Amino acid sequence: MFSDSGCSNGYYHHQEGGAFPEHNSPRSPHRGRGRRRGRRGRSHDPSDAPAFGASRVADAERREEQKPPPCTDFDMAYFHSYAHLGIHEEMIKDRVRTDTYRAAIMRHQSSIAGKVVVDVGCGTGILSIFCAQAGAKRVYAVDASDIAVQANEVVKANNLSDTVIVLHGRVEDVEIDEEVDVIISEWMGYMLLYESMLGSVITARDRWLKPGGLILPSNATLYMAPVTHSDRYSDSIDFWRNVYGIDMSAMLPLAKQCAFEEPCIETISGENVLTWPHVVKHVDCYTVTLGELESVTTRYKFKSMMRESSNNQSADVSQRKKRANPSEALVLSTAPEDPPTHWQQTMVFFYDPIDLEQDQLIDGSLTLTQSRENRRFMNIHLEYTSGGRSFVKESVMR
């Protein structure tokens, strides 16, 4: 989330590429052992730090199937939005995203070849096809959006109809009459948890995954840090101070509200980040539950590595080391210091700039809550104290 002008700072969220054990079809009868049940919905293919790792013995308590949420009008609108080809084009053209998933599949080819896979939110079917190319015995490609119709045609065009079975419906509603060895899904949304698609992965896991099965990605981590972005403040706010020689300062309150009321999805660089990041939430895809995603709260304390004021800006660049990856897991990262992705970074701006000295402490709390109106929306409550001043910012990510 972040602020503005020469002394702008705020916060950003980034999902670190999940670790990869690591981060619909025509209305004709479905082949194989899968079939629809109930109404249509979708487990999509849109998209923070997922990692692609190793399989794990399933926890007995986790295996108890949790009751999935009903399909609401908001869900149907969400599924309908993913019928638009442009969304899938953007995701597929994100080479960081798509190449990492393909690399994860090939790294785990020994766990996929000859096995049964379910692709949660298959979209155009590209991940399902990658799994088929890796030797999967059978792939259930599940999607509630009408893009599944085109996915089925793509499967046919690549002569994979005997391997890839497209199921047009929600993971919560379709039936697969066998356990699966592998679950793959590109479920990450902006700020990792936006859109709440992870819930569909949890449902698939609890319904079908064999004990010891593989989930790709296996885990994901959401980070936050204060950042500075003086150019953004200047472009959106200071612009109104002098417009063609006319004083339009009266527009400033409205300009701030319009520019900064809701979270912004933008790309920043590592140079914008003022401190080491803080872990907001680590998601273990083998054990995470639907309940723990309803609300996430963390307390944080940062120590600025940069001085921010309206007159100057300096940073101890020697401290800007890249985060280590001790496990050498395959990681899909959306961090500012890494190559950009279509997820970019999610930022919450304060309405006015905040001066910050080097080594100044910043502490507070952050709560992310699924909206009661629409669980795919995210309520953001940020509390921030620094230099004897306290701030509260509330936003809704719609």
Side-chain angles (χ1 to χ4, degrees):
M1 308 159 188
F2 76 149
S3 189
D4 9 81
S5 125
C7 44
S8 70
N9 81 65
Y11 290 88
Y12 86 95
H13 294 280
H14 92 270
Q15 14 202 22
E16 185 125 279
F20 291 74
E22 288 179 73
H23 170 34
N24 290 332
S25 70
R27 291 177 176 258
S28 57
H30 293 294
R31 304 172 317 294
R33 306 186 186 187
R35 62 180 184 276
R36 289 183 53 211
R37 82 171 177 191
R39 55 184 176 267
R40 292 177 358 202
R42 168 168 198 234
S43 315
H44 79 270
D45 176 4
S47 177
D48 231 7
F52 299 79
S55 62
R56 182 181 308 177
V57 176
D59 184 282
E61 293 182 3
R62 187 272 291 167
R63 297 291 294 181
E64 293 181 8
E65 187 169 326
Q66 303 172 68
K67 185 178 180 180
C71 186
T72 67
D73 290 341
F74 290 113
D75 290 326
M76 294 307 296
Y78 167 72
F79 301 146
H80 180 71
S81 72
Y82 276 94
H84 194 286
L85 184 61
I87 293 177
H88 300 280
E89 180 179 352
E90 178 186 41
M91 292 186 292
I92 291 173
K93 285 182 175 179
D94 182 343
R95 296 299 299 265
V96 174
R97 164 199 180 271
T98 307
D99 284 345
T100 302
Y101 266 86
R102 180 163 58 177
I105 289 168
M106 297 313 298
R107 177 178 290 192
H108 295 89
Q109 186 171 9
S110 61
S111 299
I112 294 173
K115 302 298 178 62
V116 179
V117 179
V118 62
D119 179 0
V120 178
C122 67
T124 58
I126 188 168
L127 300 185
S128 296
I129 291 174
F130 287 163
C131 288
Q133 292 173 340
K137 173 184 176 182
R138 186 159 41 254
V139 182
Y140 293 101
V142 185
D143 204 302
S145 167
D146 287 345
I147 196 66
V149 175
Q150 281 72 40
N152 197 56
E153 295 304 312
V154 171
V155 169
K156 289 179 182 178
N158 286 272
N159 300 315
L160 290 171
S161 297
D162 291 337
T163 302
V164 180
I165 302 168
V166 180
L167 299 178
H168 188 178
R170 295 197 312 163
V171 157
E172 293 81 354
D173 297 328
V174 301
E175 292 286 1
I176 297 176
D177 296 333
E178 61 179 324
E179 290 188 315
V180 304
D181 303 283
V182 181
I183 293 175
I184 189 166
S185 179
E186 199 275 76
W187 55 265
M188 297 83 72
Y190 295 128
M191 204 169 63
L192 187 64
L193 300 177
Y194 175 65
E195 292 185 338
S196 297
M197 189 190 161
L198 178 56
S200 294
V201 177
I202 294 171
T203 298
R205 177 198 71 193
D206 293 347
R207 294 186 70 192
W208 303 310
L209 187 64
K210 291 179 180 178
L214 176 67
I215 303 178
L216 302 178
S218 62
N219 61 86
T221 306
L222 173 64
Y223 296 86
M224 67 177 291
V227 302
T228 180
H229 202 333
S230 57
D231 290 344
R232 176 70 158 79
Y233 192 84
S234 177
D235 291 343
S236 300
I237 308 303
D238 288 338
F239 162 79
W240 293 102
R241 300 184 189 279
N242 186 328
V243 182
Y244 293 95
I246 301 170
D247 182 358
M248 288 196 175
S249 298
M251 302 296 292
L252 289 177
L254 180 60
K256 291 177 182 180
Q257 181 179 0
C258 292
F260 302 143
E261 182 175 20
E262 296 185 355
C264 301
I265 310 300
E266 301 178 11
T267 297
I268 58 172
S269 73
E271 296 302 311
N272 295 100
V273 183
L274 299 175
T275 72
W276 292 108
H278 170 80
V279 173
V280 175
K281 176 69 174 176
H282 179 76
V283 174
D284 183 334
C285 294
Y286 292 96
T287 60
V288 64
T289 64
L290 293 173
E292 71 182 87
L293 299 178
E294 293 177 358
S295 183
V296 174
T297 298
T298 185
R299 293 204 61 84
Y300 59 83
K301 180 175 288 187
F302 295 112
K303 185 176 182 180
S304 175
M305 296 188 296
M306 177 182 287
R307 181 169 186 261
E308 271 297 301
S309 72
S310 55
N311 297 319
N312 60 55
Q313 170 178 310
S314 62
D316 182 356
V317 181
S318 66
Q319 297 186 58
R320 296 190 180 279
K321 302 173 185 175
K322 189 156 183 165
R323 277 184 292 275
N325 180 17
S327 67
E328 295 303 321
L330 185 59
V331 174
L332 169 56
S333 175
T334 66
E337 66 267 25
D338 289 319
T341 70
H342 78 282
W343 285 285
Q344 302 179 275
Q345 285 80 43
T346 301
M347 287 167 283
V348 176
F349 289 86
F350 295 112
Y351 289 116
D352 292 295
I354 299 171
D355 288 336
L356 190 66
E357 298 294 330
Q358 185 166 338
D359 297 327
Q360 184 170 322
L361 294 180
I362 308 164
D363 64 83
S365 65
L366 172 71
T367 299
L368 307 176
T369 308
Q370 291 179 2
S371 169
R372 292 185 178 181
E373 174 192 18
N374 180 357
R375 65 186 176 87
R376 299 192 185 277
F377 292 169
M378 183 72 71
N379 296 325
I380 302 171
H381 179 89
L382 175 70
E383 297 183 9
Y384 172 107
T385 299
S386 185
R389 300 175 64 194
S390 297
F391 307 86
V392 175
K393 178 68 184 291
E394 292 189 335
S395 303
V396 181
M397 194 163 183
R398 297 180 174 87

